[in-house]
Amino acid sequence: MSRARVARRIATAAAYGSGGIGVLSGAAIGLLLAEMRLARRKMGGSGDVPPRADGLYGAAFAHRDGPPLRLAFLGDSTAAGQGVHRARQTPGALLASGAAAVGERPVELRNVALPGAQSDDLERQVSVLLGEREQVPDVCVVMIGANDVTGRMPLARSVRHLSDAVTRLRTAGCEVVVGTCPDLGSVEPVGQPLRWLARRLSRQLAAAQTIAVVELGGRTVSLGDLLGPEFAANPRELFGPDNYHPSAEGYATAAMAMLPTLCAALGLWPDAEDQPDTARREGLLPVARAAAAAVSEGGTEVTAARGPWALLRHRRRRRFTAEDPAPAEQTSTG
């Protein structure tokens, strides 16, 4: 069965409240758990609390008319920025700084992501986010899914939790950008057959997440390939000390992939100025086919078009280097 058809089946099961799609026998589950325990011993893990990056970015633009743009982050340890020690190195701070520079407007960041969270924690995170402020965020970035795969949550259930969260955020008036499940087959200490299985499940989940989010009016950016060839080729550079969470360089790579989509969602990067390039395999595709294509190349954006179609873009990006300028000024509110 093609990846597009599998993703559509998972998304449909999520929409109608069905259970997960079984992929493993009891013997395979036993082998998977044994491999996972071995991988965890090799990785060591990290109990560090992610740095708090909440605050105002781009304060130099505060003289501009209008209130700051409001950016919120939800999700798991990757969204929280676990693995780095400076607030400005977290993905939330990097994207807030980038959006402030592009739009020449201050950006207020609020991060409610929780390390270790699975998709069923999104209900709580959305409630915290929407219940504590009079003004809802202009845009919410969600990064979730890796713990669903390692925790063996049925994929349809995972997608249903994400769909419910996106629905609530969209109903409240927020734009939504989802960084889909990363390719867990890229984690360096993981051996076969766990590596193959982790890659298969994480890509199936990422494609199904894309279908669900796009059909609810959100946008997705594939993170799978960013934690694939680039991370596999530079594991010491792009993974953090625990060999699992991204390093500062790794978070910067992911943030640069998401920045154009975030700016487009905020109206800072008009879609009309970035027409699809057919030479780069961009254009309109059925949603499921666009979702399947996106998971194979990191940085690929999928957004709703007309009817059952979606627009697929391979937005150009570059990696951060040590010579890049520091992020825009931050004023902490935490």
Side-chain angles (χ1 to χ4, degrees):
M1 186 181 297
S2 70
R3 181 180 294 162
R5 290 183 63 188
V6 171
R8 172 56 74 187
R9 283 184 60 193
I10 296 170
T12 300
Y16 288 96
S18 302
I21 297 176
V23 294
L24 298 176
S25 65
I29 290 176
L31 178 60
L32 174 62
L33 292 177
E35 288 279 353
M36 192 175 296
R37 284 193 291 269
L38 178 60
R40 284 173 177 167
R41 285 200 297 270
K42 290 180 179 178
M43 288 186 288
S46 172
D48 294 343
V49 176
R52 186 172 178 82
D54 289 23
L56 188 70
Y57 292 77
F61 303 117
H63 64 282
R64 299 293 179 103
D65 293 336
L69 297 170
R70 297 178 298 277
L71 167 64
F73 255 69
L74 306 89
D76 54 22
S77 57
T78 305
Q82 189 163 10
V84 296
H85 301 289
R86 295 181 176 84
R88 63 184 176 85
Q89 297 173 327
T90 63
L94 290 166
L95 285 174
S97 297
V102 172
E104 297 186 346
R105 292 180 59 182
V107 175
E108 182 182 357
L109 173 66
R110 175 72 170 108
N111 196 325
V112 296
L114 177 69
Q118 296 183 353
S119 292
D120 56 5
D121 191 58
L122 290 176
E123 180 180 8
R124 181 195 63 82
Q125 294 182 30
V126 172
S127 295
V128 169
L129 189 65
L130 298 182
E132 67 182 11
R133 300 187 171 200
E134 294 182 1
Q135 292 183 314
V136 301
D138 295 298
V139 62
C140 296
V141 174
V142 184
M143 302 170 73
I144 198 80
N147 295 321
D148 297 8
V149 174
T150 59
R152 295 192 295 138
M153 177 182 289
L155 300 188
R157 186 184 304 168
S158 171
V159 174
R160 184 165 68 252
H161 287 305
L162 176 60
S163 297
D164 290 345
V166 173
T167 298
R168 290 180 64 191
L169 293 172
R170 294 285 294 153
T171 300
C174 306
E175 296 293 331
V176 177
V177 176
V178 174
T180 56
C181 182
D183 181 357
L184 297 179
S186 64
V187 178
E188 189 186 31
V190 177
Q192 298 292 5
L194 180 58
R195 182 186 295 271
W196 173 86
L197 184 59
R199 170 163 288 128
R200 179 185 178 190
L201 293 178
S202 54
R203 288 190 175 191
Q204 286 178 348
L205 177 56
Q209 288 176 324
T210 299
I211 294 173
V213 171
V214 169
E215 291 184 340
L216 290 170
R219 301 170 187 247
T220 64
V221 179
S222 170
L223 299 182
D225 193 56
L226 297 177
L227 296 176
E230 287 188 44
F231 275 50
N234 302 283
R236 295 290 177 252
E237 180 182 4
L238 292 174
F239 280 114
D242 62 2
N243 288 331
Y244 185 81
H245 294 99
S247 65
E249 181 91 5
Y251 279 126
T253 301
M256 284 304 296
M258 299 186 72
L259 180 60
T261 302
L262 175 69
C263 290
L266 286 168
L268 307 177
W269 195 309
D271 288 337
E273 295 182 6
D274 190 12
Q275 294 298 320
D277 184 349
T278 56
R280 303 175 68 233
R281 306 183 313 282
E282 298 181 338
L284 292 173
L285 288 172
V287 175
R289 284 183 55 195
V295 300
S296 298
E297 184 171 347
T300 302
E301 174 192 301
V302 181
T303 187
R306 53 184 180 274
W309 299 85
L311 181 59
L312 183 143
R313 285 194 178 102
H314 305 294
R315 291 192 186 269
R316 294 175 175 83
R317 68 183 191 279
R318 65 179 179 89
R319 283 179 57 186
F320 273 114
T321 68
E323 289 73 32
D324 280 337
E329 178 183 354
Q330 175 201 9
T331 303
S332 175
T333 60

